[in-house]
């Protein structure tokens, strides 16, 4: 590797967010944000178990604190656990000290099960918040395939889109629950209310597992990192939160 590409790789490691890995292995990481949730997380876990798939859960600390039984079930099933902040506030609008507190409090709630993966709420971060996550020892995980499950009410639309777009080494975004229930869908349009019913997501997830489990292996994000060359992109979004 020449000095310029070494430098670029180092900068990407510090400031880039993982979107997928480059591999010829048919591996895929299914990721689930915003849980745990007493009603829906067990349904996701049951589906993953049925298809012998492993997933990665980016949990909200405040919810995890009340559902450690579900966190333990994730660990027992071989799934990975990442941090999705303490109470799901958009990071770009928060002062640095509060952002670090959001990560630390979530870590504390997840002990001893916490790994080194972090996904900022709404996928939103600034250069500074990304740097803070690096300083705290975290890999920031984005995605390269978005199920759209926080606003799409039809499982057939979601399932068809996912089957068409999926590719080896990919990271797929799902939500086992929605932390912001009943508010306008973040980042979509203000008229469009977040879709709280998880049945469409569960049906689309089952479609993906059922159709692809013969050809793909569903692995955790740490396992995905072992399966190929990580691709990290500069993923910075201003806050879409107006409040
Ligand atoms: Zn979220």
């Amino acid at each position: 590797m020449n000095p310029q590409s070494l430098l670029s790789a180092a900068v990407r490691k510090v400031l880039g967010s993982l979107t997928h890995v480059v591999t010829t292995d048919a591996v895929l990481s299914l990721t689930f944000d915003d849980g745990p949730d007493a009603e829906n997380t067990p349904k996701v876990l049951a589906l993953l178990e049925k298809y012998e798939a492993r997933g990665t859960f980016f949990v909200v600390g405040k919810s995890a604190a009340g559902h450690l039984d579900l966190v333990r079930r994730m660990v027992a099933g071989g799934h990975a656990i990442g941090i999705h902040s303490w109470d799901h506030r958009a990071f770009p609008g928060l002062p640095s000290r509060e952002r670090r507190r959001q990560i630390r409090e979530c870590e504390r709630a997840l002990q001893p099960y916490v790994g080194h993966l972090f996904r900022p709420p709404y996928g939103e971060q600034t250069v500074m918040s990304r740097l803070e996550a690096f300083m705290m020892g975290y890999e920031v995980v984005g995605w390269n395939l978005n199920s759209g499950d926080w606003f799409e009410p039809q499982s057939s639309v979601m399932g068809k889109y996912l089957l068409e777009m999926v590719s080896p080494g990919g990271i797929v975004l799902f939500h086992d629950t929605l932390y912001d229930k009943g508010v306008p869908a973040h980042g979509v349009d203000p008229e469009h209310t977040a879709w709280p019913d998880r049945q469409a997501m569960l049906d689309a997830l089952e479609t993906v597992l059922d159709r692809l489990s013969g050809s793909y292996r569903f692995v955790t994000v740490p396992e995905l990192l072992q399966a190929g060359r990580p691709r990290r992109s500069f993923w910075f979004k201003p806050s879409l939160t107006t409040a």
Side-chain angles (χ1 to χ4, degrees), residues 32-35 58 60 84-85 88 119-123 173-175 177-180:
F32 302 90
D33 289 8
D34 286 21
F58 288 94
V60 176
H84 196 43
S85 82
H88 210 268
R119 177 173 285 161
Y122 314 103
L173 169 68
F174 287 103
H175 295 78
T177 185
L178 293 175
Y179 196 80
D180 309 307

Side-chain angles (χ1 to χ4, degrees), residues 74-90:
M74 291 169 186
V75 175
H79 310 295
I81 296 182
I83 279 183
H84 196 43
S85 82
W86 171 251
D87 62 3
H88 210 268
R89 276 185 273 168

Side-chain angles (χ1 to χ4, degrees), residues 30-131:
L30 306 180
T31 65
F32 302 90
D33 289 8
D34 286 21
D37 168 73
E39 187 189 344
N40 294 300
T41 306
K43 293 179 185 170
V44 170
L45 287 167
L47 275 177
L48 294 175
E49 195 178 325
K50 178 177 170 188
Y51 290 93
E52 296 179 357
R54 284 187 298 277
T56 302
F57 290 83
F58 288 94
V59 307
V60 176
K62 202 171 170 181
S63 304
H67 293 295
L68 281 176
D69 54 323
L70 291 173
V71 173
R72 281 192 284 269
R73 238 184 103 180
M74 291 169 186
V75 175
H79 310 295
I81 296 182
I83 279 183
H84 196 43
S85 82
W86 171 251
D87 62 3
H88 210 268
R89 276 185 273 168
F91 270 35
L94 298 178
S96 166
R97 197 175 52 182
E98 172 60 18
R99 291 194 294 245
R100 292 198 304 270
R101 188 190 75 82
Q102 289 273 333
I103 293 177
R104 289 280 179 242
E105 292 287 312
C106 187
E107 263 175 13
R108 218 162 281 148
L110 289 171
Q111 291 297 355
Y113 306 115
V114 69
H116 297 282
L117 306 175
F118 170 60
R119 177 173 285 161
Y122 314 103
E124 291 178 2
Q125 62 185 351
T126 60
V127 172
M128 192 49 76
S129 74
R130 173 65 190 92
L131 195 56

Side-chain angles (χ1 to χ4, degrees), residues 175-189:
H175 295 78
D176 45 338
T177 185
L178 293 175
Y179 196 80
D180 309 307
K181 288 187 184 75
V183 300
H186 195 91
V188 185
D189 82 62

